[in-house]
PDB file of all heavy atoms in Angstrom:
ATOM      1  N   ILE A 604     169.367  88.944   4.956  1.00  0.00           N
ATOM      2  CA  ILE A 604     168.547  89.987   5.531  1.00  0.00           C
ATOM      3  C   ILE A 604     169.368  91.238   5.700  1.00  0.00           C
ATOM      4  O   ILE A 604     168.882  92.353   5.401  1.00  0.00           O
ATOM      5  CB  ILE A 604     167.958  89.531   6.894  1.00  0.00           C
ATOM      6  CG1 ILE A 604     166.965  88.420   6.663  1.00  0.00           C
ATOM      7  CG2 ILE A 604     167.308  90.705   7.630  1.00  0.00           C
ATOM      8  CD1 ILE A 604     166.510  87.690   7.914  1.00  0.00           C
ATOM      9  N   ALA A 605     170.616  91.118   6.167  1.00  0.00           N
ATOM     10  CA  ALA A 605     171.492  92.298   6.366  1.00  0.00           C
ATOM     11  C   ALA A 605     171.775  93.010   5.042  1.00  0.00           C
ATOM     12  O   ALA A 605     171.922  94.225   4.998  1.00  0.00           O
ATOM     13  CB  ALA A 605     172.792  91.869   7.032  1.00  0.00           C
ATOM     14  N   THR A 606     171.839  92.264   3.951  1.00  0.00           N
ATOM     15  CA  THR A 606     172.157  92.930   2.668  1.00  0.00           C
ATOM     16  C   THR A 606     170.943  93.660   2.099  1.00  0.00           C
ATOM     17  O   THR A 606     171.077  94.463   1.182  1.00  0.00           O
ATOM     18  CB  THR A 606     172.654  91.893   1.628  1.00  0.00           C
ATOM     19  OG1 THR A 606     171.658  90.913   1.468  1.00  0.00           O
ATOM     20  CG2 THR A 606     173.991  91.294   2.063  1.00  0.00           C
ATOM     21  N   LEU A 607     169.771  93.388   2.670  1.00  0.00           N
ATOM     22  CA  LEU A 607     168.581  94.067   2.178  1.00  0.00           C
ATOM     23  C   LEU A 607     168.439  95.477   2.768  1.00  0.00           C
ATOM     24  O   LEU A 607     167.685  96.287   2.258  1.00  0.00           O
ATOM     25  CB  LEU A 607     167.332  93.252   2.531  1.00  0.00           C
ATOM     26  CG  LEU A 607     167.214  91.878   1.880  1.00  0.00           C
ATOM     27  CD1 LEU A 607     166.000  91.165   2.358  1.00  0.00           C
ATOM     28  CD2 LEU A 607     167.250  92.021   0.352  1.00  0.00           C
ATOM     29  N   ASN A 608     169.111  95.758   3.874  1.00  0.00           N
ATOM     30  CA  ASN A 608     169.009  97.091   4.506  1.00  0.00           C
ATOM     31  C   ASN A 608     169.652  98.123   3.635  1.00  0.00           C
ATOM     32  O   ASN A 608     170.678  97.874   2.998  1.00  0.00           O
ATOM     33  CB  ASN A 608     169.721  97.073   5.876  1.00  0.00           C
ATOM     34  CG  ASN A 608     169.002  96.155   6.832  1.00  0.00           C
ATOM     35  OD1 ASN A 608     167.813  95.923   6.697  1.00  0.00           O
ATOM     36  ND2 ASN A 608     169.724  95.667   7.821  1.00  0.00           N
ATOM     37  N   ASP A 609     169.024  99.301   3.576  1.00  0.00           N
ATOM     38  CA  ASP A 609     169.543 100.385   2.740  1.00  0.00           C
ATOM     39  C   ASP A 609     170.629 101.200   3.440  1.00  0.00           C
ATOM     40  O   ASP A 609     171.371 101.918   2.803  1.00  0.00           O
ATOM     41  CB  ASP A 609     168.414 101.334   2.347  1.00  0.00           C
ATOM     42  CG  ASP A 609     167.437 100.664   1.404  1.00  0.00           C
ATOM     43  OD1 ASP A 609     167.874  99.763   0.640  1.00  0.00           O
ATOM     44  OD2 ASP A 609     166.249 101.013   1.438  1.00  0.00           O
ATOM     45  N   GLU A 610     170.693 101.119   4.793  1.00  0.00           N
ATOM     46  CA  GLU A 610     171.658 101.925   5.537  1.00  0.00           C
ATOM     47  C   GLU A 610     172.542 101.021   6.363  1.00  0.00           C
ATOM     48  O   GLU A 610     172.132  99.986   6.827  1.00  0.00           O
ATOM     49  CB  GLU A 610     170.948 102.921   6.445  1.00  0.00           C
ATOM     50  CG  GLU A 610     170.120 103.952   5.710  1.00  0.00           C
ATOM     51  CD  GLU A 610     169.437 104.934   6.639  1.00  0.00           C
ATOM     52  OE1 GLU A 610     169.565 104.759   7.881  1.00  0.00           O
ATOM     53  OE2 GLU A 610     168.820 105.888   6.141  1.00  0.00           O
ATOM     54  N   ASP A 611     173.803 101.471   6.566  1.00  0.00           N
ATOM     55  CA  ASP A 611     174.687 100.710   7.440  1.00  0.00           C
ATOM     56  C   ASP A 611     174.480 101.226   8.866  1.00  0.00           C
ATOM     57  O   ASP A 611     173.610 102.015   9.133  1.00  0.00           O
ATOM     58  CB  ASP A 611     176.153 100.830   6.977  1.00  0.00           C
ATOM     59  CG  ASP A 611     176.694 102.242   7.014  1.00  0.00           C
ATOM     60  OD1 ASP A 611     176.019 103.123   7.554  1.00  0.00           O
ATOM     61  OD2 ASP A 611     177.810 102.442   6.490  1.00  0.00           O
ATOM     62  N   SER A 612     175.324 100.761   9.792  1.00  0.00           N
ATOM     63  CA  SER A 612     175.144 101.067  11.203  1.00  0.00           C
ATOM     64  C   SER A 612     175.361 102.552  11.508  1.00  0.00           C
ATOM     65  O   SER A 612     174.909 103.073  12.508  1.00  0.00           O
ATOM     66  CB  SER A 612     176.109 100.261  12.065  1.00  0.00           C
ATOM     67  OG  SER A 612     177.432 100.528  11.704  1.00  0.00           O
ATOM     68  N   ARG A 613     176.013 103.289  10.637  1.00  0.00           N
ATOM     69  CA  ARG A 613     176.258 104.724  10.845  1.00  0.00           C
ATOM     70  C   ARG A 613     175.265 105.582  10.101  1.00  0.00           C
ATOM     71  O   ARG A 613     175.368 106.787  10.095  1.00  0.00           O
ATOM     72  CB  ARG A 613     177.685 105.087  10.413  1.00  0.00           C
ATOM     73  CG  ARG A 613     178.741 104.479  11.339  1.00  0.00           C
ATOM     74  CD  ARG A 613     180.097 104.744  10.831  1.00  0.00           C
ATOM     75  NE  ARG A 613     180.391 103.636   9.931  1.00  0.00           N
ATOM     76  CZ  ARG A 613     181.356 103.613   9.051  1.00  0.00           C
ATOM     77  NH1 ARG A 613     182.118 104.633   8.920  1.00  0.00           N
ATOM     78  NH2 ARG A 613     181.581 102.555   8.324  1.00  0.00           N
ATOM     79  N   GLY A 614     174.272 104.962   9.447  1.00  0.00           N
ATOM     80  CA  GLY A 614     173.216 105.745   8.766  1.00  0.00           C
ATOM     81  C   GLY A 614     173.596 106.148   7.352  1.00  0.00           C
ATOM     82  O   GLY A 614     172.861 106.870   6.713  1.00  0.00           O
ATOM     83  N   HIS A 615     174.737 105.649   6.831  1.00  0.00           N
ATOM     84  CA  HIS A 615     175.123 105.999   5.485  1.00  0.00           C
ATOM     85  C   HIS A 615     174.403 105.052   4.478  1.00  0.00           C
ATOM     86  O   HIS A 615     174.198 103.889   4.765  1.00  0.00           O
ATOM     87  CB  HIS A 615     176.600 105.840   5.277  1.00  0.00           C
ATOM     88  CG  HIS A 615     177.418 106.777   6.129  1.00  0.00           C
ATOM     89  ND1 HIS A 615     178.278 106.326   7.099  1.00  0.00           N
ATOM     90  CD2 HIS A 615     177.450 108.133   6.177  1.00  0.00           C
ATOM     91  CE1 HIS A 615     178.808 107.351   7.698  1.00  0.00           C
ATOM     92  NE2 HIS A 615     178.329 108.471   7.176  1.00  0.00           N
ATOM     93  N   GLN A 616     174.037 105.596   3.336  1.00  0.00           N
ATOM     94  CA  GLN A 616     173.398 104.796   2.294  1.00  0.00           C
ATOM     95  C   GLN A 616     174.401 103.806   1.749  1.00  0.00           C
ATOM     96  O   GLN A 616     175.536 104.119   1.472  1.00  0.00           O
ATOM     97  CB  GLN A 616     172.895 105.691   1.172  1.00  0.00           C
ATOM     98  CG  GLN A 616     171.700 106.494   1.544  1.00  0.00           C
ATOM     99  CD  GLN A 616     170.429 105.667   1.694  1.00  0.00           C
ATOM    100  OE1 GLN A 616     170.391 104.526   1.242  1.00  0.00           O
ATOM    101  NE2 GLN A 616     169.459 106.206   2.359  1.00  0.00           N
ATOM    102  N   GLN A 617     173.985 102.550   1.606  1.00  0.00           N
ATOM    103  CA  GLN A 617     174.836 101.540   1.030  1.00  0.00           C
ATOM    104  C   GLN A 617     174.583 101.469  -0.473  1.00  0.00           C
ATOM    105  O   GLN A 617     173.437 101.660  -0.934  1.00  0.00           O
ATOM    106  CB  GLN A 617     174.538 100.163   1.627  1.00  0.00           C
ATOM    107  CG  GLN A 617     174.938 100.018   3.056  1.00  0.00           C
ATOM    108  CD  GLN A 617     174.607  98.606   3.558  1.00  0.00           C
ATOM    109  OE1 GLN A 617     173.772  97.941   3.013  1.00  0.00           O
ATOM    110  NE2 GLN A 617     175.293  98.226   4.614  1.00  0.00           N
TER     111      GLN A 617
END
Side-chain angles (χ1 to χ4, degrees):
I604 293 169
T606 58
L607 296 177
N608 295 335
D609 292 329
E610 296 181 355
D611 63 10
S612 61
R613 290 175 271 165
H615 298 118
Q616 288 289 343
Q617 291 180 339

